[in-house]
Amino acid sequence: MTALVQLIISVILFFVLFFGIAFILNMLLKSTWIMTFFYPFVVFAIVDKISTADYILKPRYAVSQLWRGLTHLLPADIIMLSAGLIGAIAAGIVIKNLRKSGYTMF
């Protein structure tokens, strides 16, 4: 029961966190879908658990660690990470609608 409650709270937190980050990036950089494009790199940083420099210094090792991390994700992890992607997409839609409505600040 507590695992289900933790999953629900985590999904909400990931959605709100990435919605907020994407909204601020979209507002500052005037690029509607920027966080949606960068989201896979955020997921890679969460999943691979290695230094980013290893992608340059030891690319074969880094890609194998990334692949291992992606294939060993649990369903709860996939649900949480999907909620973050949905949050980033929702921020893009909100910004696009705000711009269409005439809000030039966004």
Side-chain angles (χ1 to χ4, degrees):
M1 182 65 183
T2 58
L4 181 63
V5 172
Q6 288 176 347
L7 177 64
I8 293 170
I9 291 172
S10 298
V11 166
I12 293 169
L13 285 174
F14 265 70
F15 180 85
V16 170
L17 175 74
F18 284 103
F19 180 88
I21 291 171
F23 192 87
I24 291 170
L25 280 176
N26 291 335
M27 194 169 55
L28 292 175
L29 301 176
K30 304 275 189 193
S31 177
T32 306
W33 302 108
I34 191 145
M35 188 60 192
T36 306
F37 294 124
F38 285 128
Y39 190 75
F41 299 108
V42 173
V43 171
F44 296 163
I46 292 171
V47 170
D48 64 5
K49 297 180 182 169
I50 59 172
S51 172
T52 307
D54 286 341
Y55 284 100
I56 297 168
L57 301 174
K58 300 182 271 185
R60 182 171 294 188
Y61 169 74
V63 171
S64 69
Q65 287 295 105
L66 174 62
W67 182 252
R68 189 179 67 74
L70 287 173
T71 57
H72 287 87
L73 284 176
L74 298 175
D77 298 330
I78 295 170
I79 292 170
M80 285 186 292
L81 293 171
S82 299
L85 178 62
I86 292 169
I89 292 170
I93 293 170
V94 168
I95 288 284
K96 193 171 185 178
N97 287 335
L98 285 171
R99 288 184 183 139
K100 195 181 296 184
S101 298
Y103 290 95
T104 56
M105 180 189 342
F106 302 112

